[in-house]
Every structure is written in structure tokens, then in C-alpha cells.
Amino acid sequence: MLLLAVLAAAVLAGCGGEPPGAGDRPGDPAAPPVRRVVLVTFDTLHVDLSGPYNPAVDHTPHLDRLAAGGVVFEHAYTRVPLTVPSHASMLTGRPPTELAVMDNGDRLAAPAETLAEILGRHGYRTAAFVSLGVLGPNANLTQGFEHYDAEGVGPEASRWYRRADEVLPAARRWIEEEATERFLLWVHFSDPHEPYVTRDAPPDLRLELDGSPVGEWTLAAKERSRATLVLEPGRHRLVWRPLREPHPDDRPSTALILRLREPAALAPFLEGGASVPEEVALGAPWTVELVNRTDAAAELAIGFTGYLRHAPPAQVLPAYDRLVAWADQHFGELRALFERMGIAGDTLWVVASDHGEGLFRHRSIGHASNAQEDQLRVMWLMAGPGVPVGRRLGSAPVLLEDLAPTVLAHLGLAVPGSMSGRPQNGCWTGAGCAGREEWWAYGVRGARGRITAVAGYRWPYKLLWQLQGHSGGFELLADPWEESKLVRLRNADDADLPAELTRLNKRYPEARAALERALASRQREEHAPEVKEMLEALGYLGN
């Protein structure tokens, strides 16, 4: 019984590190002069589709340049492939289980101290510019930020994300005003995130009234749209015409889906008690017959959204590459701004991704519910004063909760004992990387609020259980994308298993139970309808 209690505590506390209340750990007394810290996070970036992690990739020149001028953590991980928990870990130096922020829609508790709060106390101005609705004020990652810009991406907006070309101008204005000050700036780009729609994507839907076009929209972009029609007395025909061209690798279930937000608005114009569905698959034009029985023109306002169900690889993968390139372009513009203003020399750049993305490897697309390397491996780059040039750190894995402690230690500031993450600047100062013997990660599905995947690591070995297949044991240095199972998930009595996998296999049942208990114990309120709509639109409650 004592052993189980110790294991549960290790899983929930992040498998090592000083416990809360252990006091401040000292920073680097020879810290370089840094006046500005810029944290740039790329949402949903698969590291194998970026130049710093794959030299065959040529569409991320600005990330490549930063990596060449600094350090690359080759084996960086999140504990869960979700935006809010991963960013909460980055900002607080603590794992999701400690924070009780284990899923999108969870809220960071006020006692959790953030990097922004700490730097604010040391005289840094603080600002954040985020691009995804789940990072809005409801998540409470605003703690410590004097200015937190999530304009136009919340549940009440027409869409739940904004592009890099919308985030950067807002950040630029703040930078120009604060250029002479010490500051912490967080800029968040989410362009590679689902729905994988580029800025210049053609419309995929035309609405026609009595044969005349009313307008064209891109349903795949998952935006809220609205059309206002004028119906003269008499009969009318409303046609929703799909414009999407079929792809050769479309599945039978691939379809453009139209959702009417207020189908009751059509009721007064339908005949004989007819009704319309809330959701329609537009494999062909969909026609609705209307009649205005009055002697005067009537106005009809229609609200709708949509999405592309089961988008094929031939459509997703090229769009994903272009979206990564688009985000990289604006990251390059941000860097160029610092150069033009003459403030690049004393700026520390920290660039990370919050999680990866399943892009059809192992028949998986998206993130959240799986715990494969595609979803759990992340980018972590650093460059600036005191950071060595051209160093690739591949000897030990690091976690996103190590980010805040590493920044603080690099600045020469004490690392609070409440941060169970570990400073990793010892990787280049001679102290050595702060390794971990073991850690656990997980996947979760918000619609059911349940653990759907568990991954245990004893580097370089990994044990993976998933609700939907591909469970087993892997050796990640030789097989970084889990193409070849060493063993299926089974009893740990097999003599042919590596000792690391044997240990993980024995610890797995209690590790999974501890994660399930932590998920069930969160103080989580029922989502408002508009929040549910946002989470569903971003792929977290299941289309």
C-alpha cells in the first residue's frame, strides 16, 4: 500500500523535482545582461515538419536561423497534447496534474505563480498576444500580464482563432511603445491548428436565392457566418451549393457539413409543418422551398457554420505546410522588427510549441486523445545573450514545465521551490542537463472527460497504451516515430523485455489510475453553450 501511495505521488508531482514550499533555488550568478525576454509559441507544430528538427524541410527559414544561432532541445515533450495545459506548464514550471489544468476548458488557479508574475516583480513590463480562443481570459493564463490581447478569438467572436498577420500588428504596436523598457513578451501563433485552412483558400459554399447568388463562404474554416435575405411575397427556392472539388483520396465519409445555427428562423416560411435539419452533408446542392404568405417583403436572417468532415491527406498536408510557413514568415517579421529597432542584442528568444499533431501517421489526425510521439514531441529553441551558438542538446529529454525555471535561472533569478520543473541551462553552462528517470504523459477526450491514452517514459524507452490501438513498447532513439513495436502491452514477466520497459509495464496500472483520479478531481464547471461550441469547432469535443 505504501508503494502505491509513493507511486501516485510521483506521477502527480511530475516524477521528481523539489516539492512545493521547498524554498527558492538560486539562479546563475554570472547571468548575461538580458533586457527583454520574448516567448514565441507555435500551436500544433509537428517538429518533423520544421527545419530545426528535419533538415529536409525548407519552409521554416526563420526558425532555422534562430536554431543555428542558439540551442535546440532535440527531445522536448509535453505531458498532454492540449493547448491550455501545455501553456500553463510553460508559464508556471509545473505539470498539468499539479495545476489541475489537464484539459482545454480548465482554468489556472490563482495561487499558481507564473513567469510573468515573477518577472513583473523584477521590473519587467509584461504582455501577451494569443491567437486561439481556448487561451482567452477564461483560462486565467492572464496572471501577471499587464496587457493580455486575445481580441476577436473568444466564444463571442465570429471565429475561434486569428492568423499570424492579425496577431503580429497588435504585438508590434506594444513593442514600439515599450522598446526602451525591460519586458517579457509572449506571442502565440496558431496557424497550423485545425481546420487547416489557408488565408487564400477558395470558398467551398455558395448560397443562392431563386437562382441568384447571395454570397460565398468557406465552411471548412469553421467560422460563424450570417446572411440576410429579402423574401418578396410568394414562393422562393433557397439553394446551398457546394463548391469544393473532390480529391482523389477522399473517403466515402468525406463531406462538407453545413450547420444551421438558428433553423427555427426558417420555420415561418416552410409549408405544411415542414422542418429542416440542423446539420446537412452537402454531397450535392441542398434545396429548401420557402413561401412568404404576406403581402409585404419579409427579411430572413440565417446564421450558419460548417466544417469538412474527414479531410483527406492530399488536402490537409499541403495546407499544413503552408500554414507552418505562414507562421514562420511572421516570426521572421517579429525578429526583423527587433533588429530594426536596435533591441535584438540584449533580447533572449525562447521558442516552443505546445504539442504536435497527428498527420495521418498511424491513421491518426489531430491531437488531444492520443499520446504518440507525433502529438507529444515539441519544439524548444533558445537564442540570445549567454546562450551558445549552434548547440544541439540531444543527450537528455526535457519537458515543457522546465521552460520557466530555465528562463529564470538564465536571467540569474531564483527559481521558486513551487516549480517542480528543472532549469536546463546547465546543459550549456557545464553543470549538466537535469535529467529524469521517468515521467508519464496522457491523452484525454473532453466530450467524455476520460483518459484515452497513457505514455510512460524511461529514456529512451516508452510504453504506450491507447484506447484506439497502437499500444506497445518502443525504443525512441532508434525508432523516433514508433514505427516498430518492441513488444505489445502485456504482463511484465517476460524476460526478453528491456529492464526499462519491464519497470514501466509494472508501474503502468497505478500510473493510469493516478491520472484518472487527477482528472476526476478537478473543480470544473459545466461549459456554457458558446464555450462548448468553441471547443467543438477546434476539434476538442469531436466532429
Side-chain angles (χ1 to χ4, degrees):
M1 184 64 71
L2 177 61
L3 177 60
L4 292 181
V6 170
L7 174 58
V11 171
L12 296 181
C15 301
E18 294 182 45
D24 285 348
R25 289 170 273 180
D28 180 3
V34 174
R35 289 189 57 80
R36 300 161 196 88
V37 178
V38 181
L39 170 63
V40 180
T41 57
F42 286 76
D43 211 294
T44 322
L45 179 65
H46 195 304
V47 296
D48 200 40
L49 295 177
S50 71
Y53 292 84
N54 183 350
V57 170
D58 62 2
H59 55 251
T60 57
H62 303 290
L63 285 171
D64 298 351
R65 195 168 300 121
L66 180 80
V71 299
V72 178
F73 290 95
E74 291 189 333
H75 304 294
Y77 284 88
T78 181
R79 289 186 186 261
V80 58
L82 284 165
T83 297
V84 175
S86 293
H87 281 93
S89 287
M90 281 190 240
L91 293 173
T92 65
R94 299 171 64 183
T97 48
E98 282 187 12
L99 298 170
V101 180
M102 296 185 65
D103 194 0
N104 284 340
D106 289 348
R107 180 178 174 84
L108 182 67
E113 190 174 42
T114 68
L115 179 64
E117 289 174 299
I118 296 170
L119 293 188
R121 288 200 303 271
H122 286 86
Y124 286 74
R125 306 301 301 273
T126 57
F129 297 84
V130 301
S131 59
L132 207 58
V134 293
L135 291 176
N138 285 342
N140 204 34
L141 299 186
T142 56
Q143 287 182 206
F145 286 103
E146 301 170 74
H147 182 78
Y148 195 94
D149 187 321
E151 186 70 29
V153 296
E156 298 171 358
S158 63
R159 55 190 162 104
W160 298 269
Y161 57 89
R162 55 179 175 173
R163 299 184 303 265
D165 60 325
E166 297 169 301
V167 176
L168 185 58
R172 180 187 293 117
R173 290 190 292 272
W174 186 89
I175 295 165
E176 291 171 346
E177 293 175 358
E178 303 291 341
T180 60
E181 304 291 332
R182 289 196 299 168
F183 63 69
L184 166 67
L185 171 68
W186 170 26
V187 179
H188 171 255
F189 296 126
S190 64
D191 299 80
H193 197 286
E194 186 187 352
Y196 318 119
V197 174
T198 58
R199 185 172 60 106
D200 58 352
D204 54 29
L205 173 78
R206 179 185 299 132
L207 178 60
E208 300 171 356
L209 178 63
D210 299 330
S212 298
V214 175
E216 295 182 344
W217 294 268
T218 304
L219 286 184
K222 296 186 174 182
E223 298 183 9
R224 287 178 177 171
S225 301
R226 180 166 290 274
T228 300
L229 314 176
V230 176
L231 302 181
E232 298 294 339
R235 295 185 173 276
H236 301 277
R237 174 169 290 186
L238 192 63
V239 178
W240 304 85
R241 188 176 303 280
L243 303 178
R244 176 183 179 268
E245 294 293 332
H247 284 67
D249 57 345
D250 280 351
R251 290 190 276 173
S253 56
T254 300
L256 191 65
I257 304 299
L258 168 70
R259 283 184 168 175
L260 295 179
R261 289 176 48 80
E262 301 141 2
L266 292 170
F269 304 100
L270 299 174
E271 284 193 290
S275 62
V276 293
E278 291 187 6
E279 185 170 297
V280 179
L282 296 177
W286 179 52
T287 300
V288 178
E289 301 290 342
L290 305 175
V291 58
N292 177 4
R293 302 176 184 84
T294 71
D295 296 330
E299 188 174 274
L300 170 62
I302 304 175
F304 56 95
T305 61
Y307 63 96
L308 179 61
R309 184 179 66 197
H310 297 156
Q315 183 169 350
V316 170
L317 296 178
Y320 184 88
D321 284 348
R322 291 182 62 194
L323 291 165
V324 172
W326 179 253
D328 178 80
Q329 174 188 326
H330 288 81
F331 171 65
E333 292 181 15
L334 178 64
R335 294 259 290 164
L337 174 64
F338 276 67
E339 293 285 351
R340 289 196 304 271
M341 297 178 67
I343 58 175
D346 52 6
T347 296
L348 175 67
W349 292 86
V350 184
V351 178
S353 55
D354 59 347
H355 54 76
E357 183 80 327
L359 292 170
F360 300 100
R361 197 192 327 253
H362 309 307
R363 302 175 65 185
S364 169
I365 185 170
H367 56 273
S369 58
N370 289 347
Q372 294 159 328
E373 296 296 283
D374 293 302
Q375 290 91 356
L376 293 179
R377 277 191 67 186
V378 298
M379 171 180 289
W380 184 1
L381 318 173
M382 292 181 67
V387 179
V389 174
R391 183 81 63 87
R392 301 190 70 86
L393 305 172
S395 60
V398 295
L399 298 176
L400 285 182
E401 65 232 43
D402 298 336
L403 189 147
T406 301
V407 170
L408 290 173
H410 190 70
L411 297 177
L413 300 177
V415 179
S418 60
M419 291 187 174
S420 51
R422 302 172 180 186
Q424 298 293 349
N425 54 318
C427 293
W428 62 82
T429 62
C433 298
R436 282 177 179 79
E437 183 181 26
E438 180 179 303
W439 80 92
W440 294 85
Y442 66 96
V444 65
R445 197 62 179 169
R448 297 182 180 178
R450 63 184 296 188
I451 297 292
T452 54
V454 177
Y457 290 83
R458 293 181 71 86
W459 193 254
Y461 292 95
K462 174 183 180 180
L463 188 75
L464 173 65
W465 168 84
Q466 294 196 141
L467 190 61
Q468 296 185 337
H470 202 64
S471 300
F474 305 89
E475 201 279 13
L476 297 175
L477 290 179
D479 180 24
W481 301 112
E482 302 160 306
E483 301 287 352
S484 178
K485 294 180 186 178
L486 290 180
V487 64
R488 295 184 182 277
L489 191 63
R490 58 185 178 183
N491 293 331
D493 301 329
D494 303 289
D496 59 332
L497 286 181
E500 293 87 347
L501 282 177
T502 298
R503 184 170 175 81
L504 289 170
N505 222 351
K506 288 179 177 178
R507 289 165 66 88
Y508 159 74
E510 178 54 26
R512 177 179 170 183
L515 287 166
E516 288 174 340
R517 288 194 298 271
L519 188 67
S521 66
R522 296 167 302 154
Q523 299 298 312
R524 180 164 175 156
E525 298 178 359
E526 182 69 18
H527 293 311
E530 62 271 16
V531 175
K532 286 184 177 179
E533 182 185 359
M534 176 182 69
L535 292 173
E536 185 177 60
L538 293 173
Y540 297 119
L541 296 184
N543 286 338

